[in-house]
Every structure is written in structure tokens, then in C-alpha cells.
């Protein structure tokens, strides 16, 4: 019997034949943390008396959640982590403004077939390139940073086929919201999803990263896209590196599966206060919206900024709008292409390289009684500010069209 991608990765990482349900110790290829979780990790390391990194070539530190620091405490934490970076000889340190950790890992570090562990739940993002990636707590990550190893219960491989081509206004966000509508939050707990894309060019890396990012909302242990020509293209374009993809065997066995037919999807939103309270745009169209956020590790990529600019060139925003490209690199590229100028002229507040509003950190929180659209990953009560606010999740096109009109708007009329 052939092996799944999950089995091939865990077999290599553990040095043994792994089956679902096995408890195994594995070697980690890449570990990371950011400012919000990092100081907890370092505290654990200090209590253990082992403030060291097992391999500085396999560790990344980035300041992104509260960057630039909006409070004295946030600044104090970053001062402490800069000292750690110097003491521990951190080789890959990204200070304020470089970008959101998950975007940096996707563009610069993670590779197909790797095991990636970081102190943040949305580490699953780099599953977009075919890495087995998980977010873990401070104690687990501290142990990884010190030893390069961790333990896990091997998940059940679950196959998802992405079929056809998306129509106008359909992106990765709509695919993952569709899956959340079908399986519900935590509905695939204990499983590792392997996504097979029928037409690699029709579902580019930006879309894949959004799906993998929100795989954690489905309860997935990992959300991996099987490497294909799009994976090869992305890594060569970003890093100038030719890769040999790790892929499942043709006769690999999965516990179950599901097909997503892209041509049958429509723009979707997750209504308050749950990621699986999924509705079509037609069900909410016309509802007034006070605030729109376009950005985050979920949807702050170049294609998101591009479609937002395409829509917002039609006028000025009627809902206040904050736009945050996920990294300095994306911001620069968007600026060179004229997208940033378009957003600013349309009335958006634009910055870059920070999580900001997504976790209720800074750069625009939701006030009492306000309705907001976010391209972020979660809409739990109070996550983006007031517990009396109402947050909807949507793709960047829906968000931009809504900002333009001040109310929920189907973006497809601007894209056909």
C-alpha cells in the first residue's frame, strides 16, 4: 500500500513507519515564534536553565502581533526578545516592519516535506507549500527550540480535491469558508488534510495559503497542499531554488475525502460570532457596515491588495477602512504597482507588516455596536475589540466592495 504525504513526512521525521494514532517523537525542520508568544517561550527556557537554540539555521523570530508596540508593556517585551536574539545568536530575526511571521515563513523559509512548528495556531499557513505545520504552546515550543524534537499523535490523512476553476470573486477564503460550513469548526479534529489541486494554475499560492491558514479552524493537525507545478513556481520565484516535491503515492489510503467544486462556489461570509456561521453574500447584501479591515496572515497578500485596489479605484470608501499588507516585501511590490496609492486615495488607512486589528491589538479596533468585515481568520466575540461589536469574515474583494458602498456588496459586478 502506498503512502500519503502525511505518512511520508512523519516517517522521515521520526525514522520509523508511522500509522494514524501512533505516538511518535519527530525531528523538527523549522521552529519559530513571535513577540506575543515568544516571551512566554523564553520564560520557559529560562526556568529550565537552557536559553539556547539547537540549530540557529532552523529557527525564526519575528515581531508582528504588537508591532510597532502600542503599549509600554509590548515595548518591554520586544526589548527582552531583542536581548534573547543577541544572547542566543538568532540568525533569522525579523524586527518591526519586516512582516507577519507566517508570511515570512511562507516566502522565505518553509519547504515541501518539512516539519514546521511555531508558537502560534496559524502556523498551518505554510502547509500551502506542502509542509506539515502545527502551532503549539509555549512549553512545547521551548522544548523544540532547545532539542529540535517534539512528540505527537500521528493524525488520520484526509483527502480534499479542489476541482475546476474559480469564477470572478471567488478565492481561497471562499473555499475554506465552504469547508467550515460543511464540516463546522473543529469538525476535522485529529486529521491531516491533503489538498489535491486539479488545475494548479487556477488556484495559486496566495489562495492556498488562506486555506491552509484557516485549516486550524477546522481542527486540522495540518492542512497541506500536495506540491505541484504551482509550488515549484512559487519557491523558484521567491527564492531562486529548484525543488523536488514530496508527493503521496498514487495508491495512498485516506480515512475519508471531500471534493470542492470551484465553479459552484459563490462569495461567502462567516457571520458573528463563529467561523462556521457561513452565509452567502446574497444573504447579507445591503447590511450596513461601519468598519472594514483588509489584511492579516490570512488575506494580506499581494493578490488581496490587488483586488482591493481594483475595486476601490471606483471611488472613496464609505465605511472606514484599514489595509495592511502582510509584509514589507508585499507593501513595496503593491506600491510599485500603484495599489497603495489607489487605496490611500480611496480613503484607506494603510500600514504594513503587522497583525494589528486581527487580534484586537491596535491600528483600528471594533467599537461597541459596530459591524465590521475582516479578511482575518477569526470572528469570535470581542476578538477585534468590543464584545458588543459584530465581526464578519470575508475575502478581500467582498471587503473592498463593502467599504466602497458602506454596506455588504457582492464584488462580482466590479470583477466581470
Amino acid at each position: 500500500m502506498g503512502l500519503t504525504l502525511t505518512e511520508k513526512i512523519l516517517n522521515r521525521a521520526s525514522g520509523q513507519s508511522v500509522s494514524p494514532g501512533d505516538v511518535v517523537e519527530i525531528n523538527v525542520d523549522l521552529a519559530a515564534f513571535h513577540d506575543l508568544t515568544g516571551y512566554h517561550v523564553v520564560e520557559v527556557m529560562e526556568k529550565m536553565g537552557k536559553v539556547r537554540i539547537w540549530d540557529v539555521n532552523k529557527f525564526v523570530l519575528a515581531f508582528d502581533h504588537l508591532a510597532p508596540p502600542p503599549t509600554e508593556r509590548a515595548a518591554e517585551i520586544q526589548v527582552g526578545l531583542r536581548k534573547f536574539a543577541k544572547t542566543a545568536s538568532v540568525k533569522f530575526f525579523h524586527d518591526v516592519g519586516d512582516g507577519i511571521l507566517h508570511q515570512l515563513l511562507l516566502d522565505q523559509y518553509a519547504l515541501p516535506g518539512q516539519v514546521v512548528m511555531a508558537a502560534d495556531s496559524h502556523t498551518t499557513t505554510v502547509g500551502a507549500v506542502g509542509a506539515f505545520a502545527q502551532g503549539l504552546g509555549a512549553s512545547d515550543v521551548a522544548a523544540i527550540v532547545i532539542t529540535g524534537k517534539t512528540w505527537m499523535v500521528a493524525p488520520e490523512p484526509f483527502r480534499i480535491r479542489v476541482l475546476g476553476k474559480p469564477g470572478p470573486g471567488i478565492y481561497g477564503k471562499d473555499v475554506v469558508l465552504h469547508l467550515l460550513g460543511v464540516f463546522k469548526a473543529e469538525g476535522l479534529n485529529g486529521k491531516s488534510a491533503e489538498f489535491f489541486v486539479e488545475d494548479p494554475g487556477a488556484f495559486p499560492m496566495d489562495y492556498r495559503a488562506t486555506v491552509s491558514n484557516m485549516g486550524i479552524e477546522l481542527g486540522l493537525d495540518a492542512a497541506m497542499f500536495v506540491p505541484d507545478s504551482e509550488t515549484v513556481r512559487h519557491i523558484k520565484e521567491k527564492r531562486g531554488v529548484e525543488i523536488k516535491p514530496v508527493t503521496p503515492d498514487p495508491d495512498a489510503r485516506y480515512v475519508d475525502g471531500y471534493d470542492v467544486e470551484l465553479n459552484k462556489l459563490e462569495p461567502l461570509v462567516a457571520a458573528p460570532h463563529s467561523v462556521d456561521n457561513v452565509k452567502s453574500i446574497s444573504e447579507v447584501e445591503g447590511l450596513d457596515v461601519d468598519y472594514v479591515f483588509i489584511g492579516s496572515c490570512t488575506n494580506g497578500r499581494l493578490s488581496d491588495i490587488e483586488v482591493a485596489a481594483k475595486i476601490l479605484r471606483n471611488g472613496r470608501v464609505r465605511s472606514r477602512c484599514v489595509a495592511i499588507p502582510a509584509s514589507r516585501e508585499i507593501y513595496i511590490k503593491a506600491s510599485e504597482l500603484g495599489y497603495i496609492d489607489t487605496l490611500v486615495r480611496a480613503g484607506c488607512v494603510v500600514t504594513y507588516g503587522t497583525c494589528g486589528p486581527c487580534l484586537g491589538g491596535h491600528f483600528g479596533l471594533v467599537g461597541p455596536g459596530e459591524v465590521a468585515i475582516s479578511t482575518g481568520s477569526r470572528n469570535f466575540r470581542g476578538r477585534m475589540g468590543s464584545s458588543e461589536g459584530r465581526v464578519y469574515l470575508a475575502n478581500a474583494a467582498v471587503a473592498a466592495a463593502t467599504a466602497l458602498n458602506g454596506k455588504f456588496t457582492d464584488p462580482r459586478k466590479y470583477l466581470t
Side-chain angles (χ1 to χ4, degrees), residues 364-402:
L365 306 190
V366 176
E370 289 193 312
V371 173
I373 285 186
S374 168
T375 65
S377 58
R378 291 172 176 158
N379 62 341
F380 308 146
R381 188 186 298 274
R383 175 174 168 84
M384 288 186 61
S386 173
S387 61
E388 298 175 22
R390 295 171 58 82
V391 177
Y392 291 75
L393 304 179
N395 69 43
V398 170
T402 298

mmCIF file of all heavy atoms in Angstrom, residues 364-402:
data_model
loop_
_atom_site.group_PDB
_atom_site.id
_atom_site.type_symbol
_atom_site.label_atom_id
_atom_site.label_comp_id
_atom_site.label_asym_id
_atom_site.label_seq_id
_atom_site.Cartn_x
_atom_site.Cartn_y
_atom_site.Cartn_z
ATOM 1 N N GLY A 364 -6.771 49.998 14.788
ATOM 2 C CA GLY A 364 -8.176 50.010 14.417
ATOM 3 C C GLY A 364 -8.981 48.884 15.017
ATOM 4 O O GLY A 364 -9.090 47.809 14.427
ATOM 5 N N LEU A 365 -9.576 49.132 16.187
ATOM 6 C CA LEU A 365 -10.398 48.122 16.842
ATOM 7 C C LEU A 365 -11.875 48.403 16.588
ATOM 8 O O LEU A 365 -12.269 49.497 16.207
ATOM 9 C CB LEU A 365 -10.124 48.098 18.345
ATOM 10 C CG LEU A 365 -8.666 47.925 18.772
ATOM 11 C CD1 LEU A 365 -8.584 47.686 20.271
ATOM 12 C CD2 LEU A 365 -8.001 46.783 18.017
ATOM 13 N N VAL A 366 -12.691 47.393 16.822
ATOM 14 C CA VAL A 366 -14.137 47.495 16.635
ATOM 15 C C VAL A 366 -14.770 48.058 17.900
ATOM 16 O O VAL A 366 -14.475 47.595 19.008
ATOM 17 C CB VAL A 366 -14.738 46.104 16.325
ATOM 18 C CG1 VAL A 366 -16.254 46.187 16.222
ATOM 19 C CG2 VAL A 366 -14.149 45.542 15.045
ATOM 20 N N GLY A 367 -15.626 49.065 17.731
ATOM 21 C CA GLY A 367 -16.274 49.707 18.863
ATOM 22 C C GLY A 367 -17.608 49.061 19.211
ATOM 23 O O GLY A 367 -18.137 48.236 18.457
ATOM 24 N N PRO A 368 -18.185 49.428 20.352
ATOM 25 C CA PRO A 368 -19.472 48.870 20.773
ATOM 26 C C PRO A 368 -20.561 49.105 19.720
ATOM 27 O O PRO A 368 -20.717 50.221 19.214
ATOM 28 C CB PRO A 368 -19.786 49.633 22.060
ATOM 29 C CG PRO A 368 -18.461 50.095 22.559
ATOM 30 C CD PRO A 368 -17.656 50.393 21.329
ATOM 31 N N GLY A 369 -21.282 48.061 19.379
ATOM 32 C CA GLY A 369 -22.390 48.176 18.446
ATOM 33 C C GLY A 369 -22.001 48.243 16.988
ATOM 34 O O GLY A 369 -22.872 48.287 16.108
ATOM 35 N N GLU A 370 -20.705 48.257 16.684
ATOM 36 C CA GLU A 370 -20.272 48.381 15.294
ATOM 37 C C GLU A 370 -20.313 47.045 14.556
ATOM 38 O O GLU A 370 -20.111 45.982 15.140
ATOM 39 C CB GLU A 370 -18.858 48.956 15.214
ATOM 40 C CG GLU A 370 -18.786 50.422 15.594
ATOM 41 C CD GLU A 370 -17.460 51.039 15.220
ATOM 42 O OE1 GLU A 370 -16.408 50.437 15.535
ATOM 43 O OE2 GLU A 370 -17.461 52.135 14.619
ATOM 44 N N VAL A 371 -20.561 47.134 13.258
ATOM 45 C CA VAL A 371 -20.496 45.977 12.362
ATOM 46 C C VAL A 371 -19.215 46.109 11.548
ATOM 47 O O VAL A 371 -18.941 47.166 10.969
ATOM 48 C CB VAL A 371 -21.713 45.910 11.436
ATOM 49 C CG1 VAL A 371 -21.550 44.793 10.398
ATOM 50 C CG2 VAL A 371 -22.984 45.691 12.246
ATOM 51 N N ALA A 372 -18.432 45.036 11.501
ATOM 52 C CA ALA A 372 -17.163 45.068 10.793
ATOM 53 C C ALA A 372 -17.028 43.869 9.874
ATOM 54 O O ALA A 372 -17.575 42.795 10.134
ATOM 55 C CB ALA A 372 -16.005 45.091 11.789
ATOM 56 N N ILE A 373 -16.293 44.088 8.787
ATOM 57 C CA ILE A 373 -15.852 42.984 7.931
ATOM 58 C C ILE A 373 -14.345 42.890 8.073
ATOM 59 O O ILE A 373 -13.631 43.886 7.984
ATOM 60 C CB ILE A 373 -16.204 43.217 6.452
ATOM 61 C CG1 ILE A 373 -17.693 42.989 6.209
ATOM 62 C CG2 ILE A 373 -15.417 42.259 5.564
ATOM 63 C CD1 ILE A 373 -18.070 43.074 4.747
ATOM 64 N N SER A 374 -13.861 41.667 8.285
ATOM 65 C CA SER A 374 -12.434 41.419 8.382
ATOM 66 C C SER A 374 -12.046 40.324 7.398
ATOM 67 O O SER A 374 -12.779 39.348 7.219
ATOM 68 C CB SER A 374 -12.076 40.981 9.810
ATOM 69 O OG SER A 374 -10.750 40.472 9.869
ATOM 70 N N THR A 375 -10.877 40.485 6.794
ATOM 71 C CA THR A 375 -10.340 39.397 5.968
ATOM 72 C C THR A 375 -9.475 38.467 6.808
ATOM 73 O O THR A 375 -8.794 37.603 6.272
ATOM 74 C CB THR A 375 -9.520 39.940 4.784
ATOM 75 O OG1 THR A 375 -8.363 40.622 5.295
ATOM 76 C CG2 THR A 375 -10.342 40.871 3.921
ATOM 77 N N GLY A 376 -9.502 38.659 8.119
ATOM 78 C CA GLY A 376 -8.722 37.834 9.024
ATOM 79 C C GLY A 376 -9.282 36.437 9.192
ATOM 80 O O GLY A 376 -10.147 35.981 8.433
ATOM 81 N N SER A 377 -8.837 35.765 10.241
ATOM 82 C CA SER A 377 -9.109 34.338 10.408
ATOM 83 C C SER A 377 -10.215 34.018 11.399
ATOM 84 O O SER A 377 -10.767 32.915 11.366
ATOM 85 C CB SER A 377 -7.827 33.632 10.865
ATOM 86 O OG SER A 377 -7.363 34.220 12.074
ATOM 87 N N ARG A 378 -10.537 34.944 12.292
ATOM 88 C CA ARG A 378 -11.487 34.623 13.360
ATOM 89 C C ARG A 378 -12.420 35.793 13.648
ATOM 90 O O ARG A 378 -12.019 36.953 13.528
ATOM 91 C CB ARG A 378 -10.728 34.233 14.644
ATOM 92 C CG ARG A 378 -10.011 32.898 14.507
ATOM 93 C CD ARG A 378 -9.115 32.587 15.675
ATOM 94 N NE ARG A 378 -8.534 31.249 15.515
ATOM 95 C CZ ARG A 378 -7.434 30.833 16.108
ATOM 96 N NH1 ARG A 378 -6.768 31.648 16.906
ATOM 97 N NH2 ARG A 378 -6.985 29.600 15.898
ATOM 98 N N ASN A 379 -13.626 35.453 14.056
ATOM 99 C CA ASN A 379 -14.615 36.495 14.368
ATOM 100 C C ASN A 379 -15.293 36.231 15.701
ATOM 101 O O ASN A 379 -16.457 36.560 15.888
ATOM 102 C CB ASN A 379 -15.659 36.598 13.259
ATOM 103 C CG ASN A 379 -16.464 35.311 13.077
ATOM 104 O OD1 ASN A 379 -16.051 34.230 13.507
ATOM 105 N ND2 ASN A 379 -17.620 35.427 12.430
ATOM 106 N N PHE A 380 -14.536 35.628 16.639
ATOM 107 C CA PHE A 380 -15.093 35.362 17.956
ATOM 108 C C PHE A 380 -15.469 36.669 18.636
ATOM 109 O O PHE A 380 -14.869 37.718 18.394
ATOM 110 C CB PHE A 380 -14.085 34.611 18.831
ATOM 111 C CG PHE A 380 -13.525 33.377 18.179
ATOM 112 C CD1 PHE A 380 -12.219 32.991 18.415
ATOM 113 C CD2 PHE A 380 -14.300 32.599 17.332
ATOM 114 C CE1 PHE A 380 -11.696 31.852 17.822
ATOM 115 C CE2 PHE A 380 -13.787 31.468 16.739
ATOM 116 C CZ PHE A 380 -12.474 31.089 16.975
ATOM 117 N N ARG A 381 -16.447 36.608 19.501
ATOM 118 C CA ARG A 381 -16.914 37.799 20.209
ATOM 119 C C ARG A 381 -15.747 38.464 20.951
ATOM 120 O O ARG A 381 -15.028 37.831 21.722
ATOM 121 C CB ARG A 381 -17.999 37.414 21.199
ATOM 122 C CG ARG A 381 -18.690 38.610 21.855
ATOM 123 C CD ARG A 381 -19.650 38.149 22.932
ATOM 124 N NE ARG A 381 -20.719 37.322 22.400
ATOM 125 C CZ ARG A 381 -21.859 37.789 21.898
ATOM 126 N NH1 ARG A 381 -22.056 39.094 21.844
ATOM 127 N NH2 ARG A 381 -22.775 36.952 21.458
ATOM 128 N N GLY A 382 -15.541 39.740 20.683
ATOM 129 C CA GLY A 382 -14.514 40.502 21.376
ATOM 130 C C GLY A 382 -13.111 40.358 20.827
ATOM 131 O O GLY A 382 -12.193 41.028 21.302
ATOM 132 N N ARG A 383 -12.899 39.521 19.813
ATOM 133 C CA ARG A 383 -11.534 39.307 19.319
ATOM 134 C C ARG A 383 -10.943 40.585 18.728
ATOM 135 O O ARG A 383 -9.753 40.863 18.898
ATOM 136 C CB ARG A 383 -11.505 38.202 18.264
ATOM 137 C CG ARG A 383 -10.128 38.027 17.619
ATOM 138 C CD ARG A 383 -10.063 36.834 16.684
ATOM 139 N NE ARG A 383 -8.862 36.819 15.874
ATOM 140 C CZ ARG A 383 -7.676 36.344 16.251
ATOM 141 N NH1 ARG A 383 -7.525 35.851 17.470
ATOM 142 N NH2 ARG A 383 -6.633 36.370 15.439
ATOM 143 N N MET A 384 -11.738 41.355 18.022
ATOM 144 C CA MET A 384 -11.215 42.539 17.335
ATOM 145 C C MET A 384 -11.546 43.846 18.056
ATOM 146 O O MET A 384 -11.453 44.914 17.476
ATOM 147 C CB MET A 384 -11.740 42.593 15.903
ATOM 148 C CG MET A 384 -11.124 41.558 14.987
ATOM 149 S SD MET A 384 -11.627 41.758 13.257
ATOM 150 C CE MET A 384 -10.993 43.401 12.888
ATOM 151 N N GLY A 385 -11.920 43.734 19.326
ATOM 152 C CA GLY A 385 -12.261 44.942 20.062
ATOM 153 C C GLY A 385 -13.428 44.689 20.993
ATOM 154 O O GLY A 385 -13.451 43.710 21.749
ATOM 155 N N SER A 386 -14.439 45.524 20.923
ATOM 156 C CA SER A 386 -15.576 45.436 21.837
ATOM 157 C C SER A 386 -16.336 44.115 21.697
ATOM 158 O O SER A 386 -16.583 43.638 20.581
ATOM 159 C CB SER A 386 -16.535 46.597 21.576
ATOM 160 O OG SER A 386 -17.722 46.442 22.334
ATOM 161 N N SER A 387 -16.744 43.555 22.823
ATOM 162 C CA SER A 387 -17.575 42.351 22.806
ATOM 163 C C SER A 387 -18.975 42.654 22.299
ATOM 164 O O SER A 387 -19.743 41.743 21.991
ATOM 165 C CB SER A 387 -17.643 41.744 24.213
ATOM 166 O OG SER A 387 -18.223 42.660 25.130
ATOM 167 N N GLU A 388 -19.291 43.936 22.185
ATOM 168 C CA GLU A 388 -20.599 44.346 21.653
ATOM 169 C C GLU A 388 -20.540 44.608 20.154
ATOM 170 O O GLU A 388 -21.537 44.990 19.537
ATOM 171 C CB GLU A 388 -21.082 45.605 22.380
ATOM 172 C CG GLU A 388 -21.291 45.405 23.879
ATOM 173 C CD GLU A 388 -21.648 46.697 24.589
ATOM 174 O OE1 GLU A 388 -22.135 47.629 23.919
ATOM 175 O OE2 GLU A 388 -21.431 46.781 25.812
ATOM 176 N N GLY A 389 -19.364 44.421 19.556
ATOM 177 C CA GLY A 389 -19.242 44.560 18.113
ATOM 178 C C GLY A 389 -19.592 43.261 17.411
ATOM 179 O O GLY A 389 -19.654 42.192 18.026
ATOM 180 N N ARG A 390 -19.822 43.343 16.101
ATOM 181 C CA ARG A 390 -20.174 42.169 15.305
ATOM 182 C C ARG A 390 -19.220 42.091 14.114
ATOM 183 O O ARG A 390 -19.166 43.022 13.293
ATOM 184 C CB ARG A 390 -21.619 42.247 14.816
ATOM 185 C CG ARG A 390 -22.639 42.210 15.948
ATOM 186 C CD ARG A 390 -24.060 42.498 15.466
ATOM 187 N NE ARG A 390 -24.482 41.539 14.443
ATOM 188 C CZ ARG A 390 -24.964 40.324 14.727
ATOM 189 N NH1 ARG A 390 -25.041 39.907 15.985
ATOM 190 N NH2 ARG A 390 -25.358 39.522 13.763
ATOM 191 N N VAL A 391 -18.456 41.013 14.036
ATOM 192 C CA VAL A 391 -17.428 40.871 13.009
ATOM 193 C C VAL A 391 -17.796 39.750 12.039
ATOM 194 O O VAL A 391 -18.099 38.628 12.455
ATOM 195 C CB VAL A 391 -16.052 40.580 13.627
ATOM 196 C CG1 VAL A 391 -15.007 40.373 12.540
ATOM 197 C CG2 VAL A 391 -15.638 41.721 14.563
ATOM 198 N N TYR A 392 -17.755 40.079 10.750
ATOM 199 C CA TYR A 392 -17.954 39.108 9.684
ATOM 200 C C TYR A 392 -16.607 38.868 9.005
ATOM 201 O O TYR A 392 -15.799 39.783 8.863
ATOM 202 C CB TYR A 392 -18.927 39.648 8.635
ATOM 203 C CG TYR A 392 -20.355 39.788 9.090
ATOM 204 C CD1 TYR A 392 -20.739 40.826 9.941
ATOM 205 C CD2 TYR A 392 -21.343 38.903 8.653
ATOM 206 C CE1 TYR A 392 -22.065 40.975 10.355
ATOM 207 C CE2 TYR A 392 -22.665 39.038 9.056
ATOM 208 C CZ TYR A 392 -23.018 40.075 9.901
ATOM 209 O OH TYR A 392 -24.329 40.215 10.300
ATOM 210 N N LEU A 393 -16.386 37.649 8.559
ATOM 211 C CA LEU A 393 -15.184 37.318 7.795
ATOM 212 C C LEU A 393 -15.537 37.187 6.324
ATOM 213 O O LEU A 393 -16.599 36.667 5.973
ATOM 214 C CB LEU A 393 -14.582 35.994 8.273
ATOM 215 C CG LEU A 393 -14.224 35.889 9.749
ATOM 216 C CD1 LEU A 393 -13.666 34.505 10.060
ATOM 217 C CD2 LEU A 393 -13.229 36.972 10.152
ATOM 218 N N ALA A 394 -14.639 37.646 5.457
ATOM 219 C CA ALA A 394 -14.898 37.576 4.016
ATOM 220 C C ALA A 394 -13.585 37.701 3.256
ATOM 221 O O ALA A 394 -12.534 38.009 3.840
ATOM 222 C CB ALA A 394 -15.850 38.693 3.587
ATOM 223 N N ASN A 395 -13.640 37.466 1.946
ATOM 224 C CA ASN A 395 -12.448 37.656 1.121
ATOM 225 C C ASN A 395 -12.205 39.143 0.874
ATOM 226 O O ASN A 395 -13.050 39.983 1.189
ATOM 227 C CB ASN A 395 -12.545 36.852 -0.181
ATOM 228 C CG ASN A 395 -13.591 37.370 -1.146
ATOM 229 O OD1 ASN A 395 -13.732 38.576 -1.362
ATOM 230 N ND2 ASN A 395 -14.338 36.459 -1.777
ATOM 231 N N ALA A 396 -11.055 39.471 0.307
ATOM 232 C CA ALA A 396 -10.668 40.873 0.130
ATOM 233 C C ALA A 396 -11.561 41.603 -0.860
ATOM 234 O O ALA A 396 -11.762 42.824 -0.741
ATOM 235 C CB ALA A 396 -9.218 40.955 -0.303
ATOM 236 N N ALA A 397 -12.093 40.894 -1.842
ATOM 237 C CA ALA A 397 -12.978 41.539 -2.820
ATOM 238 C C ALA A 397 -14.292 41.955 -2.168
ATOM 239 O O ALA A 397 -14.786 43.067 -2.392
ATOM 240 C CB ALA A 397 -13.234 40.592 -3.995
ATOM 241 N N VAL A 398 -14.874 41.070 -1.373
ATOM 242 C CA VAL A 398 -16.097 41.410 -0.642
ATOM 243 C C VAL A 398 -15.832 42.575 0.294
ATOM 244 O O VAL A 398 -16.626 43.524 0.385
ATOM 245 C CB VAL A 398 -16.618 40.196 0.153
ATOM 246 C CG1 VAL A 398 -17.742 40.607 1.100
ATOM 247 C CG2 VAL A 398 -17.106 39.100 -0.792
ATOM 248 N N ALA A 399 -14.695 42.530 0.987
ATOM 249 C CA ALA A 399 -14.353 43.596 1.931
ATOM 250 C C ALA A 399 -14.223 44.941 1.220
ATOM 251 O O ALA A 399 -14.751 45.960 1.688
ATOM 252 C CB ALA A 399 -13.058 43.240 2.657
ATOM 253 N N ALA A 400 -13.528 44.965 0.096
ATOM 254 C CA ALA A 400 -13.318 46.224 -0.627
ATOM 255 C C ALA A 400 -14.621 46.761 -1.207
ATOM 256 O O ALA A 400 -14.895 47.970 -1.123
ATOM 257 C CB ALA A 400 -12.300 46.012 -1.745
ATOM 258 N N ALA A 401 -15.428 45.890 -1.790
ATOM 259 C CA ALA A 401 -16.703 46.335 -2.355
ATOM 260 C C ALA A 401 -17.618 46.872 -1.261
ATOM 261 O O ALA A 401 -18.357 47.847 -1.469
ATOM 262 C CB ALA A 401 -17.377 45.176 -3.095
ATOM 263 N N THR A 402 -17.551 46.251 -0.107
ATOM 264 C CA THR A 402 -18.355 46.704 1.027
ATOM 265 C C THR A 402 -17.870 48.054 1.535
ATOM 266 O O THR A 402 -18.672 48.948 1.829
ATOM 267 C CB THR A 402 -18.306 45.653 2.148
ATOM 268 O OG1 THR A 402 -18.882 44.434 1.664
ATOM 269 C CG2 THR A 402 -19.064 46.119 3.371
#
